Amino acid sequence: MSGGGHAAKAGAHAKHKKGGHDEEEHENHERWLVSYADMMTLLMVLFIVLFAISQVDQKKFAELKNGLAVGFGNPSVAFDGGEASLMESSDSNSPMDLSSGIGGTTSDATAVQEAVQAKERSNASKRQAAAAAEIKNYDKIKADITAELTKHGLQDQVKYSIDERGLIVTIVTTGIVFNGNEATLLTAGQQIIDGIGPAIAALPNTIEVDGHTNQLTGGTGTYPSGWELSSARAAAVVRTLHTDAGIADNRLQATGFADTKPLYPTTDPRAETLNRRVEVIVLSNLPADTRALLPSAATTTS
């Protein structure tokens, strides 16, 4: 009995040990499945991402193309071929062109550049049109002033010019406008300002009046220098435009330049007469880049 029991116990112990060994071996064999599953998952994600970035959404690209074309105010022809180029790039195994952006092509960069240039051309065309329209407004002002001055035979006392500031109405301050070294408007001078005022009174523009003297060889009478004399003459014109034409005082400004901005050098025979002047300037309200086009627009339309 004892021998048989001992043998049975030994067998049971051996069986239990073997069973324990089998369980340990089984656990060791299953661990590699976890790492394998993780690796397969990562590979699957990788291939999904690669597949996704290799596809071109035709609908979204078309929306982008049309949106840019409308925003630039230009037909979408500037982008023609861009979609095909992108699709060809997607279908082929050509390498990525890093110079034009991730996933982009040279044709894409060219299309964008052409769109920008088209936008610039459109803006330039709009500026030219605005400048031409401003010149037409100036032509009407000139015609109104000339018609009024013609009634008094004074149409030759004013000259017109246009620069980047706007329309310049130049009044030569001869003896019929101001007496020498004086800043009080004479009868003819009053009539000239009265002819200019109604033509510019209804405008929204600021009116600048600049006074200029010639190169003084003698005294200036009651004024210490040409600065005071030119400023006083400009102020006299501004006062008349305000009181007689009803132009709001916040639209008027007067400046004296003495002889610092001559039209002709002192060696020119015309300097003594024509450098002595008052300029009534209708300042343009256009942006600076458009105002710069006014002189060329005036030459084109004249």
Side-chain angles (χ1 to χ4, degrees), residues 115-125 127:
V116 172
Q117 292 173 349
K119 177 64 174 178
E120 292 175 350
R121 288 194 297 270
S122 176
N123 289 339
S125 178
R127 289 193 295 269

Side-chain angles (χ1 to χ4, degrees), residues 5-54:
H6 179 73
K9 290 180 179 180
H13 177 71
K15 183 177 180 181
H16 176 72
K17 182 177 180 181
K18 182 177 181 181
H21 180 71
D22 288 340
E23 290 176 359
E24 290 176 356
E25 288 295 328
H26 178 70
E27 290 176 357
N28 288 338
H29 283 298
E30 290 179 351
R31 287 177 182 172
W32 67 272
L33 290 174
V34 177
S35 299
Y36 178 77
D38 288 343
M39 181 183 69
M40 294 302 294
T41 301
L42 293 174
L43 285 174
M44 180 182 69
V45 172
L46 173 63
F47 285 118
I48 290 175
V49 171
L50 290 175
F51 177 79
I53 65 175
S54 68

Side-chain angles (χ1 to χ4, degrees), residues 6 31 50-51 94 135 144 165 189 202 240 268:
H6 179 73
R31 287 177 182 172
L50 290 175
F51 177 79
S94 58
I135 296 302
D144 292 343
R165 294 174 297 171
T240 302
D268 193 304

Side-chain angles (χ1 to χ4, degrees), residues 181-195:
N181 300 329
E182 295 295 332
T184 301
L185 282 167
L186 300 176
T187 301
Q190 183 73 42
Q191 290 174 333
I192 291 173
I193 304 305
D194 288 344

Side-chain angles (χ1 to χ4, degrees), residues 238-299:
V238 163
R239 184 173 61 254
T240 302
L241 290 173
H242 174 59
T243 57
D244 293 359
I247 300 177
D249 53 5
N250 61 356
R251 287 181 51 211
L252 294 166
Q253 55 191 41
T255 307
F257 289 96
D259 59 353
T260 61
K261 293 188 175 182
L263 293 177
Y264 302 96
T266 56
T267 55
D268 193 304
R270 296 169 294 179
E272 183 177 355
T273 302
L274 299 182
N275 285 344
R276 182 173 175 258
R277 69 198 188 278
V278 170
E279 295 175 338
V280 179
I281 306 168
V282 180
L283 298 177
S284 175
N285 291 328
L286 294 174
D289 57 352
T290 305
R291 291 200 306 269
L293 302 175
L294 290 175
S296 61
T299 303

Side-chain angles (χ1 to χ4, degrees), residues 97 99-100 104-112:
D97 185 356
S99 63
S100 59
T105 65
T106 302
S107 60
D108 301 333
T110 301
V112 172

Side-chain angles (χ1 to χ4, degrees), residues 55-112:
Q55 301 303 304
V56 175
D57 192 327
Q58 292 177 278
K59 181 179 178 182
K60 289 184 178 179
F61 180 81
E63 291 175 354
L64 172 63
K65 178 181 71 172
N66 294 331
L68 288 174
V70 172
F72 286 159
N74 203 58
S76 59
V77 67
F79 283 92
D80 285 353
E83 183 176 351
S85 298
L86 283 177
M87 292 304 297
E88 291 170 2
S89 175
S90 173
D91 294 339
S92 66
N93 293 323
S94 58
M96 190 179 299
D97 185 356
L98 296 178
S99 63
S100 59
I102 298 176
T105 65
T106 302
S107 60
D108 301 333
T110 301
V112 172

Side-chain angles (χ1 to χ4, degrees), residues 229-241:
L229 177 58
S230 61
S231 297
R233 286 174 172 170
V237 172
V238 163
R239 184 173 61 254
T240 302
L241 290 173

